[in-house]
Amino acid sequence: MEEYTAWLELKAISTEELNDRKAFEDSLRKTIKDGDFDEISAKLTPRALTKCSTNALLMAMETNFELRRLANKKGPDEEDFTKLAASLDEFISCLFDPLKSGGRIRDVFLKASIDDVMDAAIEFEQKKFFAHPVINNLMTEKWHGELGKMKRSSWLSIERWMWAFLNIWCLFDLVLFPLLFIVFGGYHFVRKKIRNRAGSYLKYFTTPYFIFVRDTLSILVHLGLHFAICLASSSISFSALEWAIWVFYMGRIVMESNQLCSIKVLQQNQEISSPKEPMVPGDVEVQDSSTHKSKPSTFVKKFDKYLR
């Protein structure tokens, strides 16, 4: 355990050492690109991945992707590249094993790094990554958001029935969205200014699960309105159907505009408050040679810094 804790420890390095890490990373990428299995197997080790300037987890994903690409060329070393890629899958899986215990470490990773890691996993086609039980549970938690505890409640509790009501409410929210957005949006804006916290409806509105439900229902409504307007008889004055279409598309415009604004604000906050890459075991912190940072006193604090 002491060796594992020491390996997780955040190291402060100088700018010169950072340049050495970048040079080593470029050399490793070039070796993999050349496609010589003997050179790759000799140079590619777990310790080598932690010596790169790029986050160890992201570097492992990128390397795994390149190895599978080399294996897909069906060359004489196809089986060897496949086995080496499989060993990298195990290495990536081991990086997430400490999160199985849950607690503060898991919460920090869910809030700070899960989005960046999942984006990289999608880019590098890491199918086994998403099959990991920790990642599967984290995705489920993020999918249902803060309201997910309602879904896990007993049917004898109010929270469970509230979850069922919110699913049904998506139908009304879809039709009355412009009005509801103005009313509840203004209410929660004032609430946040006064109490500095968001209300339940805002959490419901920004939960990925309910966003998906509303978007899916909107597609079905769009198709229904399309067929209805095609089959309806023409008239000079606005019909009830045309008014319904107008309200529906006004709601869609407001909804899409709100999502775009939310994404822009989120990106700005991430640029200000968090580093570009997620922190996992093997990362480093750069500082001048003349300065040194004190080491965290507990395991949680050490691992916390890797996940910010």
Side-chain angles (χ1 to χ4, degrees):
M1 182 64 182
E2 293 180 357
E3 294 180 357
Y4 183 70
T5 304
W7 180 65
L8 290 176
E9 186 176 323
L10 189 64
K11 301 177 182 178
I13 65 171
S14 62
T15 305
E16 292 78 7
E17 186 174 349
L18 177 62
N19 293 332
D20 293 339
R21 287 175 176 270
K22 289 181 178 179
F24 177 80
E25 180 179 322
D26 294 338
S27 174
L28 180 60
R29 283 198 174 102
K30 184 178 183 302
T31 301
I32 297 174
K33 186 177 180 180
D34 292 340
D36 189 311
F37 176 77
D38 293 333
E39 293 184 6
I40 294 175
S41 59
K43 196 168 187 177
L44 183 60
T45 62
R47 185 174 293 276
L49 292 173
T50 61
K51 290 182 179 180
C52 298
S53 61
T54 301
N55 176 279
L57 173 61
L58 302 184
M59 192 65 189
M61 289 183 178
E62 179 184 347
T63 305
N64 178 273
F65 175 78
E66 293 297 331
L67 291 176
R68 286 187 283 107
R69 184 180 60 81
L70 292 172
N72 291 335
K73 291 183 177 180
K74 307 297 182 181
D77 297 323
E78 175 187 357
E79 185 176 351
D80 294 328
F81 280 125
T82 302
K83 291 181 179 179
L84 191 57
S87 66
L88 268 178
D89 285 330
E90 295 179 4
F91 173 75
I92 294 172
S93 178
C94 289
L95 291 178
F96 289 97
D97 287 341
L99 300 179
K100 290 182 179 179
S101 59
R104 174 173 169 76
I105 299 176
R106 187 189 185 101
D107 294 338
V108 170
F109 180 78
L110 179 61
K111 293 179 180 179
S113 300
I114 185 65
D115 291 335
D116 295 330
V117 173
M118 288 180 62
D119 288 342
I122 293 173
E123 179 183 356
F124 296 123
E125 302 176 5
Q126 301 295 302
K127 297 180 181 179
K128 292 186 178 180
F129 166 84
F130 291 103
H132 194 284
V134 171
I135 300 302
N136 200 299
N137 292 336
L138 289 175
M139 287 192 299
T140 301
E141 292 178 16
K142 191 171 183 64
W143 177 247
H144 293 117
E146 297 183 24
L147 301 179
K149 58 184 179 181
M150 294 182 178
K151 187 176 184 297
R152 296 188 295 269
S153 302
S154 171
W155 281 104
L156 300 178
S157 62
I158 299 177
E159 288 79 7
R160 181 68 179 190
W161 287 102
M162 180 62 70
W163 176 265
F165 169 76
L166 290 177
N167 281 271
I168 299 174
W169 180 252
C170 288
L171 295 171
F172 298 94
D173 194 13
L174 185 67
V175 177
L176 304 175
F177 180 79
L179 178 61
L180 294 175
F181 182 81
I182 294 174
V183 173
F184 286 101
Y187 167 74
H188 288 297
F189 177 79
V190 175
R191 177 190 177 95
K192 188 174 182 179
K193 289 293 184 180
I194 297 176
R195 302 184 181 182
N196 195 27
R197 63 179 182 179
S200 300
Y201 187 80
L202 186 59
K203 294 178 182 178
Y204 153 78
F205 181 72
T206 56
T207 299
Y209 169 78
F210 290 112
I211 292 176
F212 172 77
V213 172
R214 288 194 299 267
D215 287 345
T216 303
L217 290 175
S218 68
I219 294 174
L220 298 177
V221 172
H222 171 78
L223 292 175
L225 292 175
H226 174 74
F227 285 115
I229 197 65
C230 290
L231 298 175
S233 58
S234 60
S235 60
I236 298 177
S237 59
F238 275 96
S239 63
L241 177 60
E242 290 171 329
W243 279 111
I245 294 175
W246 180 81
V247 172
F248 172 77
Y249 282 108
M250 285 297 297
R252 291 301 305 172
I253 292 173
V254 175
M255 181 181 294
E256 295 296 335
S257 300
N258 179 72
Q259 290 183 8
L260 290 174
C261 293
S262 300
I263 292 174
K264 185 176 181 180
V265 171
L266 180 61
Q267 290 176 345
Q268 291 176 348
N269 293 338
Q270 288 178 344
E271 291 177 358
I272 295 174
S273 61
S274 63
K276 185 176 181 181
E277 291 185 347
M279 303 295 285
V280 296
D283 273 354
V284 295
E285 181 177 343
V286 183
Q287 69 175 31
D288 294 335
S289 303
S290 58
T291 60
H292 298 279
K293 286 192 174 183
S294 59
K295 299 178 181 179
S297 58
T298 64
F299 173 77
V300 173
K301 289 183 179 179
K302 291 175 183 177
F303 204 78
D304 185 354
K305 291 187 177 181
Y306 286 96
L307 302 177
R308 287 179 185 170

